[in-house]
Amino acid sequence: MRKSIEKFDHAAMLAMARHRHPAVTTVLRVLTWTGEGRSWAILVVVLALGIHFDFLRFPHREFVFFSTLAPGISWIFVQALKIFWRRRRPFQILTDFPQLTPAPKDESFPSGHTASVFAFAAAMAPLGPLVAGALAIWAGIVAFSRYYLGVHFPSDIFVGAVIGILAGAGLTTVHSAYGADKYPNYTEMAKHEREGVDFFVDMAEPRAKILVLAIHGQYVEPGSDDVAEAIAGSDFRKYIFRANKNVNWGDLHVTSTHFDDPRAIDLAKGSELCVSVHGYKEPTKIAICLGGANIQAKTRVGEAIHRAFPEIIFDTACTEIGGTDPANIANRCLKQGVQLELSKKVRDLLKADPVAMAKFADAVRSAIQTWK
């Protein structure tokens, strides 16, 4: 079997050597560089700095950064096979066979470039068919470049692609298993889940230009929708998303920075201030995390809740849900907004006691009406 593969590989390399063209060579020399380790290192550093200092603002930037782990995972398996197989490169085996690009000094089997690009493409697949298709084409061209430029045999590239796909798919599975969203945004979620069956959206647009949102209502973050309804009343604008599936309800969770329902965005663009109500994973404390980019409004809301409910703790251990990202639906209003993260005990308390619910809603309403 191995001899047959090697025979095919040698014949394929010699056949390609007869069909090279200077213009194609120039293009592929550039594209093959995008699969190098240095390229991935640069990408990781730029993404990390861009996210930390907030100068890179594009959809799913955190997911893209997470996906750069996939090439690293594939590299581990590639290196293990290189050490085990110890196959020399085509230009080291074939007589008078030219290489058209510098080759790493390690072994030929399998192709590390190919594994890395296919790993990244597979990890990014949840972002939808357009992204997946474009990255698959890019990965295929990079893989072909390794064959065309004479530094890898076809079997090196095939096995590299398999390793990459498995690494990327495995990373995506782990990401999903540990609470990541199934869908990258509302748009993709709405293509696969049925509005009116799997989820419902309740909206109102009275004249008051304050928008109250609950984008994870009913089974996703139970009680958040009831609190949002109480705060909105009949005079504030509202957008309330309710997950109606009591099985696999987590499929309907779309994180705030990726929540792109055009109806919610249109309401926010025409509203002065947003108030977004959520539940967060805190099972024991009667606690609230306050977030949002409008510092003045957030402060007023916190003060009002404290006066009405001095027993509620303002949790400081949840800085990861600070809600200051401009892409957060809570900050899409003209004056940005406030994000209310309520622990389970707070939500249960308010839902069970109509008087407490009304008192809480009145406190928030008074604060956001007079925040300026």
Side-chain angles (χ1 to χ4, degrees):
M1 179 69 173
R2 181 170 178 174
K3 287 184 178 180
S4 298
I5 293 173
E6 289 179 348
K7 184 178 179 181
F8 169 80
D9 280 342
H10 294 180
M13 297 306 298
L14 294 172
M16 175 53 69
R18 295 192 294 268
H19 295 90
R20 288 164 167 170
H21 188 279
V24 176
T25 300
T26 300
V27 172
L28 293 183
R29 277 175 173 165
V30 174
L31 288 175
T32 203
W33 184 84
T34 62
E36 288 189 6
R38 287 174 294 179
S39 301
W40 293 114
I42 292 170
L43 177 61
V44 168
V45 170
V46 170
L47 284 173
L49 292 175
I51 292 170
H52 181 75
F53 293 106
D54 201 30
F55 64 78
L56 284 181
R57 296 183 179 181
F58 59 88
H60 323 305
R61 61 182 186 174
E62 294 86 359
F63 186 82
V64 175
F65 182 64
F66 178 81
S67 297
T68 59
L69 289 174
I73 294 170
S74 71
W75 180 86
I76 296 171
F77 292 97
V78 165
Q79 294 306 309
L81 281 174
K82 282 180 181 289
I83 293 170
F84 175 78
W85 211 266
R86 295 195 177 279
R87 185 185 199 182
R88 292 184 297 165
R89 293 182 180 270
F91 58 85
Q92 296 171 324
I93 296 174
L94 301 174
T95 304
D96 297 326
F97 183 83
Q99 65 180 99
L100 302 181
T101 190
K105 295 180 180 179
D106 60 0
E107 288 72 18
S108 184
F109 178 86
S111 169
H113 282 63
T114 302
S116 68
V117 294
F118 273 97
F120 185 69
M124 291 280 285
L127 294 186
L130 287 177
V131 171
L135 289 177
I137 292 170
W138 163 72
I141 293 173
V142 173
F144 175 75
S145 75
R146 306 308 287 166
Y147 164 54
Y148 177 93
L149 296 172
V151 291
H152 277 293
F153 292 107
S155 59
D156 301 341
I157 293 161
F158 175 76
V159 174
V162 172
I163 291 172
I165 291 168
L166 292 175
L171 184 70
T172 301
T173 301
V174 170
H175 193 228
S176 178
Y178 282 87
D181 293 342
K182 178 177 180 179
Y183 302 108
N185 50 42
Y186 174 91
T187 302
E188 285 300 313
M189 184 275 292
K191 290 178 182 177
H192 298 89
E193 308 291 342
R194 300 163 296 173
E195 183 168 358
V197 178
D198 299 319
F199 68 91
F200 295 88
V201 173
D202 184 15
M203 295 185 297
E205 192 174 359
R207 295 183 64 182
K209 291 193 174 183
I210 294 174
L211 172 62
V212 183
L213 305 107
I215 62 171
H216 301 143
Q218 202 160 330
Y219 287 108
V220 179
E221 292 170 2
S224 62
D225 48 326
D226 299 302
V227 175
E229 283 274 14
I231 295 172
S234 60
D235 52 338
F236 288 172
R237 299 175 178 185
K238 68 179 180 182
Y239 175 97
I240 298 178
F241 175 98
R242 291 185 172 91
N244 197 46
K245 296 199 306 185
N246 58 5
V247 177
N248 297 326
W249 49 260
D251 293 353
L252 299 171
H253 183 280
V254 176
T255 194
S256 300
T257 52
H258 300 164
F259 198 86
D260 60 353
D261 183 350
R263 296 169 295 183
I265 292 173
D266 285 345
L267 277 172
K269 286 180 177 178
S271 301
E272 186 173 351
L273 184 73
C274 288
V275 178
S276 189
V277 183
H278 299 261
Y280 80 109
K281 294 180 181 179
E282 169 46 64
T284 61
K285 298 178 186 176
I286 300 177
I288 291 177
C289 281
L290 275 177
N294 190 314
I295 305 301
Q296 189 175 351
K298 180 173 68 173
T299 301
R300 293 295 295 273
V301 168
E303 291 170 348
I305 293 174
H306 180 67
R307 285 194 298 269
F309 294 87
E311 69 274 21
I312 291 180
I313 300 167
F314 285 88
D315 200 341
T316 58
C318 45
T319 54
E320 74 278 4
I321 49 177
T324 57
D325 194 319
N328 189 329
I329 190 65
N331 298 320
R332 293 291 193 101
C333 287
L334 298 174
K335 301 292 184 180
Q336 300 178 307
V338 179
Q339 184 165 291
L340 278 171
E341 299 274 355
L342 312 180
S343 72
K344 185 177 185 301
K345 284 202 169 184
V346 169
R347 285 175 279 142
D348 290 345
L349 168 68
L350 297 179
K351 192 168 183 178
D353 186 346
V355 174
M357 178 71 87
K359 185 179 178 182
F360 185 89
D362 286 344
V364 176
R365 285 172 60 85
S366 66
I368 58 181
Q369 283 176 315
T370 60
W371 68 272
K372 294 180 182 180

